[in-house]
Structure formats: structure tokens, C-alpha cells
Amino acid sequence: MDSILMQLSQPLSLKSTLLNAIRTPPSISSISLRGSLHLIQRRHFKLESTKNGGTDTQRDLPFDEAAFEAERSRLDAQARKSMAEASMRDTEGASDDDPKAWKWVIRKRIWDFMESQNVAANPRPVHHRIPNFIGAMEAANRLCELEVFSDSQCVKVNPDSPQKGVRLLTLTGGKKLLTPQPRLRTGFFSIVESGMLTPATIKEACTSVGVAKYGKPIGLDEKIKVDLIVIGSVAVDPKTGARLGKGEGFAELEYGMLRYMGAIDDSTLIVTSVHDCQLVDDIPVQKLLVHDVPVDIVCTPTQVILTNTKIPKPQGIYWEMLSPEKLSQIRILRELKRRIERETGKLLPCGPSEKLPPTAQRTSRPGKRAFSKK
């Protein structure tokens, strides 16, 4: 198993991009493996389509932080409850080859272990989340010692709690932070730049409330180059780079849309930060789906691991795997689908129907604004 955890002092036969990605951290220690999408409509922004398919914003009402946070908490609780219900439904009588079934077994094992060993950090319980963990800042520090991070001008970071430190170090390092609006409920991505902030607001800008207050929403036509992707994980195999998220599929959709925009390509490195107990050796690569996103580098509180992954990176959105219900949930995807169909003159395929959890069936009452945050 020790061969899986690569010491940076050892010779590495990796492609040049990966060889140049790492600056040796102060200390690396190996441990054994355990088998074990805000545009809240920002409340002070009105979103409109432009001629080129992007978005414009207009000042409307003052930002209501308390209402934002209350609605975020409500939607987050609904989402976790519905994911739990969906997991039970999907695994009942499922075959071993059903990805929803075998992925759930691994996720639950990790969540249970983190809670039982008290390595989980707030928000708890960590079930049905990208789990926060004791040592997340140490993992963030190791990630930010990577040469590829130092050389990056724009870093895409997921909005989850364990990556808050990475978001902070991205902004304090003078870089552009690209972060998705949680669960892509009403928007797409926002850009936050340190020049928009003061020393008193920079920490707040690393939260979803802060992104809503200080970030600039972008559309599909934004000309942007992402130099590095930081992604959250529930479990990751350091030998293969195979990764499992919490099961909603938004990381894959975000990746696919960035590919469509030309913001990333196969050479864009993907890094995850996790606790050492989230390292596993039983994710069956042959059972992964074409849209599953692998990772190139894993950072934990104790080590940096180069996966040298051979798993192909997704090339875009796989429309034939996207259900009509999921599509109806995410406005930016509907916009992208209409655009591609208009440009090509052909209808895109659609995936099989699915029973969405209640949180996906969002209604808008007259006069009531929608909020979202993770």
C-alpha cells in the first residue's frame, strides 16, 4: 500500500504538467489507507439575459443577509433529507453494478467513520455533505504550497466548508476566485477578486453570503481561463484518482459547462483536499461513469499525493445522461441546451426520467424572492 502514497522525494514518472505542479512541502508522511451550484437572485440584483446569452445585473434592493442565511439553511436541510431518502430508495434491491448503490456504500462508510472517530467538523452531521474535517486548514495550506497554485491567476473552488481555507488563501494570494452558486439553483458562477475587498471583508467573501454580497455573477459568454480546479470529495482513491462526491452531480455539471466555455481543457489540473481517512482503495474504476471527474492531486493534513490518474476527464455535458427533471431544475443548463440546439439545428438527446427529491421541485410564489447558498 505504501507505493500508493507517493513521497515527493521519490522519483516520479509523470507528465511534465504534473511534475511542475508540486513544490515540496515541509514534511510529507505516509499513512496506511483505510478500506474503510447563489445567485440568490442576490436580492440586490436582477438577472437578465443579454443578446450574447450572458447576464447583466442591476441594483435593486439592499442585500438581506439574514433572509439569505435563513433560506440557505432551509434549502440545505431539505436537500440533505431528500438525498437520504433517495439513497435508501435507490439502493433497495439494486445490483452491485448499479453506481448509485455501490457509491452509496462507500459514502456512508466514510461519513459514519468520520462521525464515530470525531474527525468530522461543523457543520455536522457530515452525512450527505462534502464533509468538513479536523485539519482542513492544514490540508488547504499544503494545497496552496503547490507550484501550480502559486502560478495560477484564476482558481475555481467549490463552495463547501472544508475548502473555505482554500478560498481564503486564493483571495489573500491576490488571485481570482471562481466559485459556483450552490447547487446551480438560480445562477452559474461568481468571480470574487481581492481588489473588491477590504481586510475586514475578505474572510466573509469566502462564505456563500460573502460571495453573494461581493462576487460578480458571470454567464456562459464570459471569457475566462481557469488555471486550477479545487474540488470537494467524500472519498478518493489516491492510486487511481477516482473520486466520489456527495451524489448530486453538480461538480460534474460545473466541469462540463466550463469545458463548453473553453475555460478549461484536459491539461487543467484538478486537486481535492480531504482528511486522510477519506482515502480509499475500493472505488472500481471500471464502474465509473463517463461524466465522473477524476483528480490529479490529493492534499490531506499530512501529505500531498500525485495520483497520475489515467481516468479520462469529461469532455462536456453528457445530455443523454441528464434527466428532464434535472434539466428543469437548473436554469443555466436549459439556457446552454437551447443555445447548442440553436447553433447546431439539432435537438440534443435527453436521459431517462427520474424521481427528483422534493428540493428540486421549487415553486416561486408571487412577490417572494428565492435564495440559495450552500
Side-chain angles (χ1 to χ4, degrees), residues 264-280:
I264 58 173
D265 57 28
D266 279 340
S267 68
T268 308
L269 294 180
I270 303 171
V271 188
T272 192
S273 60
V274 296
H275 191 275
D276 292 279
C277 73
Q278 293 174 258
L279 303 178
V280 303

PDB file of all heavy atoms in Angstrom, residues 264-280:
ATOM      1  N   ILE A 264     -11.425  25.604 -19.516  1.00  0.00           N
ATOM      2  CA  ILE A 264     -10.529  24.535 -19.080  1.00  0.00           C
ATOM      3  C   ILE A 264     -10.367  23.529 -20.205  1.00  0.00           C
ATOM      4  O   ILE A 264     -11.136  23.519 -21.174  1.00  0.00           O
ATOM      5  CB  ILE A 264     -11.058  23.814 -17.825  1.00  0.00           C
ATOM      6  CG1 ILE A 264     -12.453  23.225 -18.088  1.00  0.00           C
ATOM      7  CG2 ILE A 264     -11.084  24.748 -16.628  1.00  0.00           C
ATOM      8  CD1 ILE A 264     -12.995  22.353 -16.960  1.00  0.00           C
ATOM      9  N   ASP A 265      -9.366  22.672 -20.078  1.00  0.00           N
ATOM     10  CA  ASP A 265      -9.186  21.560 -21.018  1.00  0.00           C
ATOM     11  C   ASP A 265      -8.580  20.385 -20.257  1.00  0.00           C
ATOM     12  O   ASP A 265      -8.496  20.409 -19.021  1.00  0.00           O
ATOM     13  CB  ASP A 265      -8.331  21.971 -22.224  1.00  0.00           C
ATOM     14  CG  ASP A 265      -6.956  22.512 -21.823  1.00  0.00           C
ATOM     15  OD1 ASP A 265      -6.433  22.117 -20.748  1.00  0.00           O
ATOM     16  OD2 ASP A 265      -6.400  23.330 -22.580  1.00  0.00           O
ATOM     17  N   ASP A 266      -8.151  19.375 -20.982  1.00  0.00           N
ATOM     18  CA  ASP A 266      -7.629  18.173 -20.328  1.00  0.00           C
ATOM     19  C   ASP A 266      -6.399  18.452 -19.460  1.00  0.00           C
ATOM     20  O   ASP A 266      -6.112  17.709 -18.521  1.00  0.00           O
ATOM     21  CB  ASP A 266      -7.255  17.114 -21.384  1.00  0.00           C
ATOM     22  CG  ASP A 266      -8.461  16.326 -21.862  1.00  0.00           C
ATOM     23  OD1 ASP A 266      -9.489  16.317 -21.149  1.00  0.00           O
ATOM     24  OD2 ASP A 266      -8.396  15.725 -22.953  1.00  0.00           O
ATOM     25  N   SER A 267      -5.655  19.506 -19.798  1.00  0.00           N
ATOM     26  CA  SER A 267      -4.420  19.791 -19.058  1.00  0.00           C
ATOM     27  C   SER A 267      -4.673  20.548 -17.754  1.00  0.00           C
ATOM     28  O   SER A 267      -3.752  20.688 -16.941  1.00  0.00           O
ATOM     29  CB  SER A 267      -3.463  20.605 -19.933  1.00  0.00           C
ATOM     30  OG  SER A 267      -3.974  21.915 -20.165  1.00  0.00           O
ATOM     31  N   THR A 268      -5.898  21.028 -17.542  1.00  0.00           N
ATOM     32  CA  THR A 268      -6.208  21.758 -16.306  1.00  0.00           C
ATOM     33  C   THR A 268      -6.231  20.779 -15.134  1.00  0.00           C
ATOM     34  O   THR A 268      -7.037  19.851 -15.108  1.00  0.00           O
ATOM     35  CB  THR A 268      -7.573  22.473 -16.410  1.00  0.00           C
ATOM     36  OG1 THR A 268      -7.607  23.267 -17.605  1.00  0.00           O
ATOM     37  CG2 THR A 268      -7.798  23.357 -15.199  1.00  0.00           C
ATOM     38  N   LEU A 269      -5.338  20.985 -14.190  1.00  0.00           N
ATOM     39  CA  LEU A 269      -5.223  20.045 -13.081  1.00  0.00           C
ATOM     40  C   LEU A 269      -6.384  20.197 -12.105  1.00  0.00           C
ATOM     41  O   LEU A 269      -6.905  21.291 -11.887  1.00  0.00           O
ATOM     42  CB  LEU A 269      -3.903  20.253 -12.349  1.00  0.00           C
ATOM     43  CG  LEU A 269      -2.632  19.917 -13.147  1.00  0.00           C
ATOM     44  CD1 LEU A 269      -1.398  20.160 -12.296  1.00  0.00           C
ATOM     45  CD2 LEU A 269      -2.660  18.477 -13.656  1.00  0.00           C
ATOM     46  N   ILE A 270      -6.777  19.067 -11.523  1.00  0.00           N
ATOM     47  CA  ILE A 270      -7.878  19.009 -10.557  1.00  0.00           C
ATOM     48  C   ILE A 270      -7.306  18.502  -9.236  1.00  0.00           C
ATOM     49  O   ILE A 270      -6.681  17.443  -9.178  1.00  0.00           O
ATOM     50  CB  ILE A 270      -8.996  18.073 -11.045  1.00  0.00           C
ATOM     51  CG1 ILE A 270      -9.501  18.521 -12.419  1.00  0.00           C
ATOM     52  CG2 ILE A 270     -10.145  18.051 -10.035  1.00  0.00           C
ATOM     53  CD1 ILE A 270     -10.461  17.542 -13.073  1.00  0.00           C
ATOM     54  N   VAL A 271      -7.531  19.283  -8.173  1.00  0.00           N
ATOM     55  CA  VAL A 271      -6.992  18.959  -6.849  1.00  0.00           C
ATOM     56  C   VAL A 271      -8.147  18.815  -5.873  1.00  0.00           C
ATOM     57  O   VAL A 271      -9.136  19.547  -5.962  1.00  0.00           O
ATOM     58  CB  VAL A 271      -6.032  20.066  -6.361  1.00  0.00           C
ATOM     59  CG1 VAL A 271      -5.329  19.632  -5.071  1.00  0.00           C
ATOM     60  CG2 VAL A 271      -5.017  20.425  -7.428  1.00  0.00           C
ATOM     61  N   THR A 272      -8.025  17.894  -4.948  1.00  0.00           N
ATOM     62  CA  THR A 272      -9.011  17.788  -3.869  1.00  0.00           C
ATOM     63  C   THR A 272      -8.297  17.835  -2.531  1.00  0.00           C
ATOM     64  O   THR A 272      -7.128  17.422  -2.425  1.00  0.00           O
ATOM     65  CB  THR A 272      -9.840  16.494  -3.981  1.00  0.00           C
ATOM     66  OG1 THR A 272     -10.962  16.557  -3.102  1.00  0.00           O
ATOM     67  CG2 THR A 272      -9.023  15.256  -3.664  1.00  0.00           C
ATOM     68  N   SER A 273      -8.977  18.373  -1.523  1.00  0.00           N
ATOM     69  CA  SER A 273      -8.443  18.345  -0.159  1.00  0.00           C
ATOM     70  C   SER A 273      -9.395  17.537   0.712  1.00  0.00           C
ATOM     71  O   SER A 273     -10.602  17.795   0.733  1.00  0.00           O
ATOM     72  CB  SER A 273      -8.277  19.765   0.395  1.00  0.00           C
ATOM     73  OG  SER A 273      -9.502  20.470   0.432  1.00  0.00           O
ATOM     74  N   VAL A 274      -8.850  16.538   1.412  1.00  0.00           N
ATOM     75  CA  VAL A 274      -9.644  15.613   2.220  1.00  0.00           C
ATOM     76  C   VAL A 274      -8.866  15.238   3.470  1.00  0.00           C
ATOM     77  O   VAL A 274      -7.663  15.481   3.582  1.00  0.00           O
ATOM     78  CB  VAL A 274      -9.982  14.316   1.438  1.00  0.00           C
ATOM     79  CG1 VAL A 274     -10.868  14.599   0.242  1.00  0.00           C
ATOM     80  CG2 VAL A 274      -8.700  13.589   1.005  1.00  0.00           C
ATOM     81  N   HIS A 275      -9.578  14.612   4.414  1.00  0.00           N
ATOM     82  CA  HIS A 275      -8.910  14.010   5.571  1.00  0.00           C
ATOM     83  C   HIS A 275      -8.290  12.695   5.128  1.00  0.00           C
ATOM     84  O   HIS A 275      -8.750  12.053   4.180  1.00  0.00           O
ATOM     85  CB  HIS A 275      -9.924  13.767   6.690  1.00  0.00           C
ATOM     86  CG  HIS A 275      -9.294  13.410   7.997  1.00  0.00           C
ATOM     87  ND1 HIS A 275      -8.931  12.116   8.319  1.00  0.00           N
ATOM     88  CD2 HIS A 275      -8.950  14.191   9.059  1.00  0.00           C
ATOM     89  CE1 HIS A 275      -8.403  12.114   9.533  1.00  0.00           C
ATOM     90  NE2 HIS A 275      -8.393  13.348  10.004  1.00  0.00           N
ATOM     91  N   ASP A 276      -7.235  12.275   5.840  1.00  0.00           N
ATOM     92  CA  ASP A 276      -6.583  11.011   5.472  1.00  0.00           C
ATOM     93  C   ASP A 276      -7.537   9.826   5.515  1.00  0.00           C
ATOM     94  O   ASP A 276      -7.379   8.866   4.752  1.00  0.00           O
ATOM     95  CB  ASP A 276      -5.394  10.750   6.399  1.00  0.00           C
ATOM     96  CG  ASP A 276      -4.267  11.748   6.174  1.00  0.00           C
ATOM     97  OD1 ASP A 276      -3.493  11.567   5.234  1.00  0.00           O
ATOM     98  OD2 ASP A 276      -4.188  12.728   6.945  1.00  0.00           O
ATOM     99  N   CYS A 277      -8.532   9.857   6.399  1.00  0.00           N
ATOM    100  CA  CYS A 277      -9.460   8.725   6.482  1.00  0.00           C
ATOM    101  C   CYS A 277     -10.406   8.662   5.288  1.00  0.00           C
ATOM    102  O   CYS A 277     -11.135   7.676   5.133  1.00  0.00           O
ATOM    103  CB  CYS A 277     -10.266   8.783   7.779  1.00  0.00           C
ATOM    104  SG  CYS A 277     -11.543  10.057   7.830  1.00  0.00           S
ATOM    105  N   GLN A 278     -10.402   9.687   4.438  1.00  0.00           N
ATOM    106  CA  GLN A 278     -11.230   9.662   3.229  1.00  0.00           C
ATOM    107  C   GLN A 278     -10.516   9.013   2.050  1.00  0.00           C
ATOM    108  O   GLN A 278     -11.097   8.888   0.964  1.00  0.00           O
ATOM    109  CB  GLN A 278     -11.658  11.084   2.853  1.00  0.00           C
ATOM    110  CG  GLN A 278     -12.606  11.723   3.846  1.00  0.00           C
ATOM    111  CD  GLN A 278     -12.898  13.181   3.524  1.00  0.00           C
ATOM    112  OE1 GLN A 278     -12.351  14.093   4.139  1.00  0.00           O
ATOM    113  NE2 GLN A 278     -13.756  13.408   2.551  1.00  0.00           N
ATOM    114  N   LEU A 279      -9.282   8.580   2.267  1.00  0.00           N
ATOM    115  CA  LEU A 279      -8.542   7.851   1.232  1.00  0.00           C
ATOM    116  C   LEU A 279      -9.001   6.394   1.235  1.00  0.00           C
ATOM    117  O   LEU A 279      -9.004   5.746   2.286  1.00  0.00           O
ATOM    118  CB  LEU A 279      -7.040   7.921   1.487  1.00  0.00           C
ATOM    119  CG  LEU A 279      -6.432   9.327   1.576  1.00  0.00           C
ATOM    120  CD1 LEU A 279      -4.944   9.232   1.877  1.00  0.00           C
ATOM    121  CD2 LEU A 279      -6.683  10.109   0.305  1.00  0.00           C
ATOM    122  N   VAL A 280      -9.386   5.881   0.076  1.00  0.00           N
ATOM    123  CA  VAL A 280      -9.907   4.525  -0.025  1.00  0.00           C
ATOM    124  C   VAL A 280      -9.213   3.797  -1.171  1.00  0.00           C
ATOM    125  O   VAL A 280      -8.533   4.406  -2.000  1.00  0.00           O
ATOM    126  CB  VAL A 280     -11.436   4.525  -0.244  1.00  0.00           C
ATOM    127  CG1 VAL A 280     -12.150   5.265   0.878  1.00  0.00           C
ATOM    128  CG2 VAL A 280     -11.790   5.149  -1.592  1.00  0.00           C
TER     129      VAL A 280
END
